[in-house]
């Protein structure tokens, strides 16, 4: 700028010098024609005029020069700005000539692609071609670019290391002042992270996160396709409904983390046994459903069902554990068993429940008569819910007798469902109640009613020394507020805790031994009696039995029935009695029906007895009459 001002000053001085020369020449020629005084006056006027015009001349040249300099400075600033954006942009920029040969790339382009600038100059961008796009794609690309002067869209390219990646690309034709294309400029962003997120969202929408198997949504889509394919090709389709046996025990005992690993291992084994065109879906929890399309015989489904049963029953080594489970499988066939998704799934589920009820660790094909059983189950479940709402259950009481004195010392409360024309025994509805979770409200009602009735007998009938025994289901026992519920029930009824005995099963204990001990101890601290029901039918172990804060061992009826039938039966009962006494526990035998059974139990030191030999379960009125008659007679 300073140099340009100096140049301007020189121009002005040059103009002044020229003006002086012109003035001198003017004086010379004028002096030839006029007198000297007139010439002098003219020169003075011309000089004054030149000097008056001098600022205007200066301003003219200065402004013109300044405008020129400013334009050059603006152009330079704009160039520097564009250059800075070009080099520092977070987007990759590529410039080519009209033959698509690379003229230049920025640093971001090199960073994303892995190529150095020197490796790209003069090359065609197709050196990064990924082969993910066909000839039609690029034909459309160039036609759009030539027609509209711009193309924009997603394209896959290849980095220098061979990795294929997605990018969002905009290519624009740069034109000269006459509108003729002279360059192509491409700008793109690496959208790998966006595509990965899209893929993950797509995966989570259609797959189970834990096992990475298809979820219900994808399962239904696959089933529809398989059914349409079966109709077109006249082939069979089998649907398997698989439920893991004993999984809940493992999940509750060892924790959900081990349970999750076990589910993953099961999924791996299932995947290894099916064909590529089969679909395994996790329906939730420990339930899996398998679609087997393109079968030509029913036997193919049965063969796979047996193979799965055998494989799942093999041990699963997980961390320091060797876990054993089994599978119950229901199989239904399309189109013979049903032609809609809902029917096929329901039929497979029904067959699976029949497999469970038949002893588990097996598969069953669906049969139409199974629906009759399912309908009956639904009817019983509906009745159970209705009975809970309307309190239509009743309690019967079976006396407990001390074998030494033959005095009635207590009773067990046994629930019944009052049907219009008969009394439904618990074996009809308790398994279903446990399965549906209705056992919890039923258990609460049973405990409350038994405590209220016992307190009433104490106050109104003078039966002040009887202890009532109430069964507690495994599910109810492990409810988080179980102890609080028992305490509240006793306070409501006014029954002293020492007149209540709670019967828990070995299954309740095995679910969580340490947790069970804590719960039992809290109940014992309240002076409630505890008995271990059905002893010997589960996984009896001295290692936990000696730690349990219990008062009574109950010998299961199945062992009592064998007393007079086999030497093994008598040996088992003698062993249980001896074990109970060695642990300072009361031993009670249930289910005694004959005099021979009664004599054997009494002679071998059994403490208490409960069974038809003394009395069947009695209604409230019949029980109090029975007790009074025994005590008076």
């Amino acid at each position: 700028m300073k140099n340009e001002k100096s140049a301007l000053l020189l121009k002005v001085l040059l103009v002044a010098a020229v003006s002086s020369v012109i003035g001198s020449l003017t004086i010379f020629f004028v002096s030839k024609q006029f007198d000297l005084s007139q010439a002098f006056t003219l020169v003075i006027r011309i000089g004054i005029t030149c000097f008056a015009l001098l600022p205007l001349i200066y301003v003219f040249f200065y402004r013109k020069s300044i405008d020129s300099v400013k334009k050059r400075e603006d152009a330079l600033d704009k160039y520097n700005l564009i250059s800075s954006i070009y080099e520092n942009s977070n987007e990759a920029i590529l410039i080519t000539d009209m033959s698509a040969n690379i003229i230049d790339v920025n640093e971001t382009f090199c960073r994303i692609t892995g190529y150095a600038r020197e490796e790209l100059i003069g090359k065609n961008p197709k050196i990064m071609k990924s082969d993910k796009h066909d000839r039609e794609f690029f034909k459309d690309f160039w036609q759009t670019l030539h027609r509209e002067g711009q193309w924009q869209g997603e394209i896959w390219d290849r980095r220098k290391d061979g990795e294929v990646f997605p990018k969002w690309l905009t290519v624009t034709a740069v034109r000269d002042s006459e509108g003729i294309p002279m360059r192509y400029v491409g700008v793109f962003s690496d959208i790998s992270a966006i595509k990965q997120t899209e893929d993950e969202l797509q995966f989570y929408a259609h797959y189970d996160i834990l096992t990475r198997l298809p979820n219900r949504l994808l399962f239904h889509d696959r089933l529809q396709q398989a059914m349409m394919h079966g109709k077109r090709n006249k082939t069979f389709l089998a649907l398997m409904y698989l439920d893991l046996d004993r999984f809940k025990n493992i999940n509750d005992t060892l924790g959900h983390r081990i349970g999750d690993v076990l589910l993953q291992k099961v999924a791996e084994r299932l995947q290894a046994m099916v064909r590529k065109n089969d679909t395994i879906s996790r329906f939730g929890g420990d339930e899996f459903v398998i679609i087997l399309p393109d079968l030509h015989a029913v036997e193919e489904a049965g063969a796979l069902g047996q193979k799965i049963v055998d494989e799942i029953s093999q041990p699963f080594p997980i961390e320091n554990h060797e876990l054993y489970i089994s599978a119950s499988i229901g199989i239904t066939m399309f189109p013979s068993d049903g032609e809609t998704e809902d029917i096929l799934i329901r039929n497979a589920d029904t067959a699976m429940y029949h497999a469970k009820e038949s002893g588990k660790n097996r598969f069953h094909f669906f049969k139409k008569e199974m629906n009759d059983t399912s309908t009956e189950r639904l009817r019983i479940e509906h009745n159970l819910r209705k009975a809970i709402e309307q309190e239509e259950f009743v309690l019967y009481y079976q006396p407990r007798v001390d074998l030494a004195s033959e005095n009635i010392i207590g009773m067990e409360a046994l629930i019944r469902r009052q049907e219009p024309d008969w009394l439904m025994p618990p074996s009809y509805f308790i398994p279903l109640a446990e399965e549906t979770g209705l056992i919890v409200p039923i258990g609460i009602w049973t405990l409350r009613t038994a405590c209220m009735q016992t307190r009433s007998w104490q106050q109104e009938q003078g039966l002040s020394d009887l202890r009532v025994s109430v069964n507690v289901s495994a599910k109810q026992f492990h409810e988080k507020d179980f102890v609080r519920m028992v305490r509240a029930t006793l306070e409501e009824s006014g029954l002293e805790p020492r007149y209540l005995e709670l019967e828990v099963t070995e299954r309740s204990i095995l679910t969580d031994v340490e947790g069970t001990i804590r719960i039992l101890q809290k109940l014992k601290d309240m002076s409630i009696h505890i008995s271990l029901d059905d002893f010997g039918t589960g996984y009896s172990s001295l290692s936990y039995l000696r730690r349990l804060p219990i008062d009574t061992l109950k010998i299961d009826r199945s062992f009592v029935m064998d007393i007079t039938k086999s030497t093994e039966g008598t040996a088992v009962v003698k062993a249980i009695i001896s074990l109970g006494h060695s642990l300072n526990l009361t031993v009670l035998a249930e289910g005694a029906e004959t005099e021979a059974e009664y004599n054997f139990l009494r002679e071998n030191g059994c403490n208490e007895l409960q069974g038809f030999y003394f009395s069947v379960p009695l209604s409230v009125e019949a029980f109090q009459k029975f007790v009074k008659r025994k005590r008076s007679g």
Side-chain angles (χ1 to χ4, degrees), residues 269 273 306-316:
R269 289 193 185 182
M273 286 184 281
Q306 188 59 55
K307 183 179 178 182
I308 292 175
V309 167
D310 294 340
E311 184 63 28
I312 297 301
S313 64
Q314 298 301 310
F316 287 84

Side-chain angles (χ1 to χ4, degrees), residues 245-259:
D245 307 320
R246 298 194 302 274
F247 174 77
K248 187 178 185 304
N249 288 343
I250 291 174
N251 210 32
D252 292 343
T253 304
L254 300 179
H256 291 285
R257 186 179 61 82
I258 296 295

Side-chain angles (χ1 to χ4, degrees), residues 184-238:
Y184 291 121
V185 176
V187 180
F188 74 80
S189 300
D190 184 348
I191 57 173
S192 298
I194 296 174
K195 296 295 289 184
Q196 182 179 354
T197 301
E198 290 177 352
D199 291 343
E200 289 176 354
L201 290 175
Q202 185 74 3
F203 179 85
Y204 293 148
H206 294 92
Y207 289 85
D208 172 58
I209 298 175
L210 178 64
T211 62
R212 308 188 79 80
L213 295 174
N215 61 12
R216 285 176 179 261
L217 182 64
L218 184 54
F219 163 82
H220 285 292
D221 181 67
R222 297 267 182 92
L223 181 55
Q224 287 178 357
Q225 294 181 28
M227 290 166 65
M228 289 188 292
H229 179 80
K231 285 182 179 179
R232 286 195 304 268
N233 295 277
K234 300 187 183 307
T235 56
F236 289 109
L237 178 153

Side-chain angles (χ1 to χ4, degrees), residues 495-509:
L495 183 69
E496 293 183 34
R498 62 194 178 105
Y499 292 116
L500 173 64
E501 183 171 53
L502 296 179
E503 297 187 12
V504 296
T505 63
E506 286 186 284
R507 188 176 64 171
S508 302
I509 296 169

Side-chain angles (χ1 to χ4, degrees), residues 51 67 73 131 145 182 213 240 289 316 401 427 471 509 622:
F51 275 102
D67 288 344
E73 285 184 339
D131 296 327
L145 186 58
M182 53 184 294
L213 295 174
M240 287 187 174
V289 182
F316 287 84
V401 178
S427 58
N471 288 283
I509 296 169

Side-chain angles (χ1 to χ4, degrees), residues 401-412:
V401 178
D402 177 73
L403 283 175
S405 63
E406 295 192 357
N407 291 329
I408 298 174
I409 56 174
M411 60 282 181
E412 180 178 1

Side-chain angles (χ1 to χ4, degrees), residues 149-427:
Q150 188 180 72
W151 182 93
Q152 187 177 64
E154 181 183 306
I155 191 168
W156 289 76
D157 269 354
R158 192 182 303 275
R159 306 187 208 272
K160 184 180 179 181
D161 61 6
E163 179 190 0
V164 175
F165 72 102
K167 63 185 185 182
W168 186 259
L169 173 66
T170 301
V171 180
T172 305
V174 180
R175 305 176 185 275
D176 61 16
S177 58
E178 297 179 2
I180 299 174
M182 53 184 294
R183 297 283 187 273
Y184 291 121
V185 176
V187 180
F188 74 80
S189 300
D190 184 348
I191 57 173
S192 298
I194 296 174
K195 296 295 289 184
Q196 182 179 354
T197 301
E198 290 177 352
D199 291 343
E200 289 176 354
L201 290 175
Q202 185 74 3
F203 179 85
Y204 293 148
H206 294 92
Y207 289 85
D208 172 58
I209 298 175
L210 178 64
T211 62
R212 308 188 79 80
L213 295 174
N215 61 12
R216 285 176 179 261
L217 182 64
L218 184 54
F219 163 82
H220 285 292
D221 181 67
R222 297 267 182 92
L223 181 55
Q224 287 178 357
Q225 294 181 28
M227 290 166 65
M228 289 188 292
H229 179 80
K231 285 182 179 179
R232 286 195 304 268
N233 295 277
K234 300 187 183 307
T235 56
F236 289 109
L237 178 153
L239 193 67
M240 287 187 174
Y241 205 116
L242 182 153
D243 184 86
L244 299 179
D245 307 320
R246 298 194 302 274
F247 174 77
K248 187 178 185 304
N249 288 343
I250 291 174
N251 210 32
D252 292 343
T253 304
L254 300 179
H256 291 285
R257 186 179 61 82
I258 296 295
D260 287 347
V261 175
L262 178 57
L263 289 174
Q264 291 171 337
K265 298 290 186 184
V266 169
E268 291 173 4
R269 289 193 185 182
L270 291 175
Q271 286 177 304
M273 286 184 281
V274 300
R275 303 165 300 175
K276 288 184 178 180
N277 63 330
D278 298 334
T279 296
I280 307 171
S281 172
R282 183 187 175 209
F283 257 37
D286 58 350
E287 295 180 334
F288 299 83
V289 182
I290 306 173
I291 304 170
L292 305 172
D294 292 326
L295 299 181
H296 298 282
V298 175
E299 289 75 18
E300 295 178 65
L304 179 60
Q306 188 59 55
K307 183 179 178 182
I308 292 175
V309 167
D310 294 340
E311 184 63 28
I312 297 301
S313 64
Q314 298 301 310
F316 287 84
I318 298 177
E319 295 184 2
N320 297 323
H321 308 282
E322 192 170 67
L323 305 179
Y324 288 85
I325 58 173
S326 60
S328 295
I329 302 174
I331 306 175
T332 190
M333 303 300 297
F334 170 86
S336 57
D337 293 337
E339 297 189 6
T340 67
E341 290 182 60
D342 291 341
I343 291 176
L344 288 173
I345 294 171
R346 185 172 67 247
N347 289 348
D349 186 31
T350 299
M352 181 272 291
Y353 272 107
H354 277 264
K356 275 191 176 294
E357 291 172 354
S358 299
K360 306 178 182 179
N361 193 32
R362 65 195 64 206
F363 71 90
H364 273 186
F365 278 97
F366 171 77
K367 296 179 181 178
K368 295 191 184 303
E369 52 266 28
M370 291 180 179
N371 274 331
D372 297 334
T373 305
S374 297
T375 302
E376 179 65 12
R377 287 166 59 88
L378 288 174
R379 187 188 71 81
I380 294 174
E381 182 178 350
H382 174 74
N383 282 349
L384 282 179
R385 294 184 185 278
K386 179 183 174 184
I388 292 171
E389 293 171 1
Q390 301 182 8
E391 295 190 356
E392 295 178 351
F393 291 109
V394 293
L395 288 186
Y396 273 53
Y397 298 87
Q398 187 170 35
R400 285 174 54 172
V401 178
D402 177 73
L403 283 175
S405 63
E406 295 192 357
N407 291 329
I408 298 174
I409 56 174
M411 60 282 181
E412 180 178 1
L414 300 169
I415 191 169
R416 300 287 187 267
R417 166 76 169 98
Q418 184 65 64
E419 290 285 301
D421 53 355
W422 71 302
L423 203 60
M424 182 187 292
S427 58

